[in-house]
Amino acid sequence: EAGVAQSPRYKIIEKRQSVAFWCNPISGHATLYWYQQILGQGPKLLIQFQNNGVVDDSQLPKDRFSAERLKGVDSTLKIQPAKLEDSAVYLCASSLGQGVIEQFFGPGTRLTVL
Amino acid sequence: DAKTTQPTSMDCAEGRAANLPCNHSTISGNEYVYWYRQIHSQGPQYIIHGLKNNETNEMASLIITEDRKSSTLILPHATLRDTAVYYCIVRVASFNKFYFGSGTKLNVKP
């Protein structure tokens, strides 16, 4: 079974530039999550989708971050404009449903903002 | 946001049992204890979860105290590949939001 795919794996940009990350969850998984993991910390949930609807985006900095999951499968996370403090690993995860125990994580995208 | 307390790091000799403690003194009756681990440069991986009974699977055992205020994850025979950050998380079963703390960095040494 294929796992959660993410691209790119690494991205370096300058502050005030824009960047987008892509995630393809495990086939059949209705719930998709985006996490931000700053170096030395645990992952922090940014946004959770159930199919193509947003369940929780309370920790998403909406002035610069946006995310979509238009057809209930793939998802993109965008930052516009980026700040130095956005340097982190962005992890995508998926699960069969909201009440399901196990989340499956992708390898992450490491973003460096200069 | 995290409601758990874990040691920052621990060492374990290869082949010995690794016992990772977690304190969750404010846990509610409907909150489960979950353990995930994150190997360097990878996403977190589910290990085990429990409510109040001890649990065991092919990866680990979870021991939860009777008052549920603390738990211990046991890796019975640690290998070098078990070197990772281990996260203890409490979560209401029907609410899928995870709060990851900083976890415990387990160093398995030959």
Side-chain angles (χ1 to χ4, degrees):
Chain A
E1 176 182 87
V4 176
Q6 290 188 247
S7 67
R9 290 296 312 276
Y10 305 91
K11 190 73 177 179
I12 301 173
I13 61 172
E14 302 207 343
K15 59 183 179 183
R16 292 187 289 273
Q17 286 187 321
S18 301
V19 65
F21 312 126
W22 173 82
C23 172
N24 181 244
I26 293 173
S27 178
H29 281 196
T31 311
L32 185 146
Y33 316 79
W34 283 102
Y35 289 85
Q36 179 193 57
Q37 185 171 24
I38 293 172
L39 186 65
Q41 300 180 16
K44 181 183 82 171
L45 180 68
L46 292 176
I47 189 168
Q48 176 181 339
F49 292 94
Q50 179 68 16
N51 295 310
N52 60 351
V54 176
V55 173
D56 185 344
D57 63 356
S58 57
Q59 299 201 85
L60 187 74
K62 299 180 186 65
D63 57 334
R64 297 184 301 106
F65 285 64
S66 64
E68 60 183 14
R69 193 185 185 199
L70 291 176
K71 297 183 180 179
V73 181
D74 294 4
S75 177
T76 56
L77 176 69
K78 297 180 182 178
I79 308 175
Q80 181 179 10
K83 292 185 176 181
L84 297 177
E85 58 261 36
D86 298 332
S87 293
V89 175
Y90 291 85
L91 294 160
C92 179
S94 69
S95 65
L96 280 170
Q98 287 193 72
V100 174
I101 298 159
E102 187 171 358
Q103 295 184 21
F104 294 84
F105 284 79
T109 296
R110 181 176 298 278
L111 173 68
T112 302
V113 182
L114 303 175
Chain B
D1 291 326
K3 296 184 285 186
T4 62
T5 303
Q6 297 177 253
T8 303
S9 65
M10 293 181 64
D11 291 337
C12 178
E14 187 177 21
R16 304 297 294 269
N19 297 284
L20 292 93
C22 180
N23 183 289
H24 31 79
S25 58
T26 60
I27 192 169
S28 301
N30 61 348
E31 287 184 310
Y32 285 70
V33 180
Y34 293 79
W35 284 84
Y36 274 69
R37 74 178 182 183
Q38 187 171 24
I39 294 170
H40 183 62
S41 296
Q42 298 182 22
Q45 174 193 24
Y46 166 81
I47 302 173
I48 198 167
H49 77 286
L51 183 61
K52 47 186 175 181
N53 296 324
N54 297 338
E55 302 288 344
T56 296
N57 63 19
E58 64 278 4
M59 288 182 69
S61 295
L62 174 60
I63 308 299
I64 303 174
T65 58
E66 193 169 342
D67 63 7
R68 302 211 321 125
K69 293 186 177 182
S70 65
S71 61
T72 301
L73 178 75
I74 301 173
L75 307 178
H77 305 287
T79 70
L80 298 178
R81 287 174 293 182
D82 292 322
T83 292
V85 178
Y86 287 77
Y87 296 101
C88 170
I89 304 159
V90 295
R91 186 193 72 116
V92 176
S94 59
F95 184 58
N96 215 39
K97 192 169 184 176
F98 281 111
Y99 291 104
F100 289 85
S102 297
T104 296
K105 176 69 165 65
L106 177 67
N107 299 299
V108 180
K109 300 185 175 182

